[in-house]
Amino acid sequence: MRGRTDRVAAPRPVRGRTPERLRPHRRPEQPRTWEHDISLTDTPQTTRPPRTVAFVAYPGLTLLDLVGPLQVFSALQAAHDGFRVVVMSESRRTMETDTPLSVLPDTTFDQVPDPYAVVVPGGLVPTLTAMADQDLLDRLRRAAADAEIVASVCTGSLLLGAAGLLDGRRATTHWMFRDLLASFGATPVAERWVEDGPCLTAAGVSAGIDMALHLVARMTDERTARGIQLQIEYDPRPPFGGIDWGSVDTERHAPLAQRFLTEALADHPGLLARLHG
């Protein structure tokens, strides 16, 4: 009939079921990934004074010993207002490193009287010479006196040892100089990093990054440390694989280590004789 519109009745909803058009849209399930469990954007903040992580600078240090763990802790500082990161030395002056790049500490020992953590980088001849620098060793003793954590990278542990901070503790350092730790009352250990009480010592150079990530987990939690590892994309894959330590002839390198030591301590025969054993 003209003007009449045939109407089709809408289907009745089945009791207990929601009509399809009213159901909320659901995204398909996504597989969980590493990133689901880590984030630096929701790191808990704190209202208490920040804990100071102080890196020690001195002339001739190995740059990566310093900047590797420094990068890790700088990422922590950026994500968590509970930490403050500084580089301290005797004075705020430019210092040479074992690369063409120099460093300028942002503070002095006197300006950081009570650090939460102290991190000492290592080096080659200048670091070995610093084992006889009583002013520096006194500074390290005072900085470490009330610190919760005293850490080192590479031969930085020899400075801790010379300061008497590793006596009776397990420790490690660069493999070429590991046996020297025994002269300072420490027990040498061939591990990537060693934790004994408040002291953490890392093996050579790049091991400082591993130790720093472990320290971040200890200071906060593993989730935060994993977030920083992702942020700095620390996923080392050496082109020739890992080091086969079983095939490394350490005895063959002993004369070279002794030459460095003799050069470094030429003006300190007493300490040289002690280390030669």
Side-chain angles (χ1 to χ4, degrees):
M1 183 182 292
R2 182 181 299 180
R4 178 178 175 180
T5 302
D6 293 332
R7 297 179 179 177
V8 179
R12 283 181 163 184
V14 178
R15 187 180 299 275
R17 294 178 59 186
T18 304
E20 191 70 30
R21 58 189 169 82
L22 298 181
R23 292 180 186 171
H25 174 68
R26 291 185 179 180
R27 294 182 179 179
E29 289 289 331
Q30 297 293 325
R32 292 187 67 81
T33 65
W34 211 60
E35 294 181 72
H36 279 86
D37 299 317
I38 56 177
S39 173
L40 292 180
T41 60
D42 57 355
T43 303
Q45 304 301 297
T46 180
T47 56
R48 68 182 180 181
R51 289 174 283 181
T52 300
V53 179
F55 287 80
V56 176
Y58 55 89
L61 59 80
T62 290
L63 188 60
L64 187 56
D65 285 11
L66 172 66
V67 300
L70 179 61
Q71 189 67 59
V72 171
F73 280 103
S74 295
L76 176 63
Q77 176 182 254
H80 198 307
D81 64 3
F83 294 92
R84 166 178 172 248
V85 180
V86 301
V87 178
M88 64 182 184
S89 187
E90 291 279 356
S91 62
R92 295 183 59 186
R93 62 182 178 85
T94 302
M95 298 179 178
E96 294 182 350
T97 70
D98 64 350
T99 74
L101 187 65
S102 297
V103 298
L104 177 63
D106 67 320
T107 190
T108 66
F109 285 105
D110 292 333
Q111 294 171 318
V112 190
D114 55 350
Y116 175 79
V118 179
V119 184
V120 183
L124 200 50
V125 171
T127 302
L128 299 176
T129 301
M131 290 190 294
D133 185 342
Q134 293 304 316
D135 289 338
L136 176 59
L137 299 183
D138 286 342
R139 292 286 195 177
L140 292 180
R141 293 185 193 102
R142 288 197 290 271
D146 297 317
E148 293 289 328
I149 294 169
V150 179
S152 65
V153 182
C154 196
T155 51
S157 60
L158 297 180
L159 297 183
L160 296 183
L165 300 174
L166 296 180
D167 189 23
R169 299 191 183 279
R170 299 167 66 251
T172 193
T173 189
H174 190 282
W175 60 271
M176 285 182 66
F177 301 100
R178 191 184 303 128
D179 290 346
L180 296 182
L181 289 168
S183 299
F184 299 118
T187 300
V189 180
E191 294 180 9
R192 187 69 168 168
W193 80 83
V194 177
E195 186 170 16
D196 190 335
C199 296
L200 279 90
T201 54
V205 195
S206 63
I209 300 176
D210 297 44
M211 182 195 71
L213 289 169
H214 169 72
L215 269 177
V216 168
R218 171 172 162 177
M219 294 177 179
T220 58
D221 51 46
E222 182 178 333
R223 184 170 182 267
T224 300
R226 282 178 172 270
I228 291 174
Q229 182 181 351
L230 178 63
Q231 180 180 334
I232 67 173
E233 202 168 336
Y234 181 59
D235 187 22
R237 299 181 184 181
F240 310 113
I243 298 173
D244 179 9
W245 290 106
S247 66
V248 176
D249 185 0
T250 56
E251 291 300 320
R252 185 169 66 88
H253 294 84
L256 179 61
Q258 289 298 326
R259 191 185 77 182
F260 288 139
L261 195 61
T262 300
E263 176 186 348
L265 298 177
D267 295 330
H268 306 281
L271 179 57
L272 181 61
R274 174 185 176 185
L275 295 175
H276 275 154

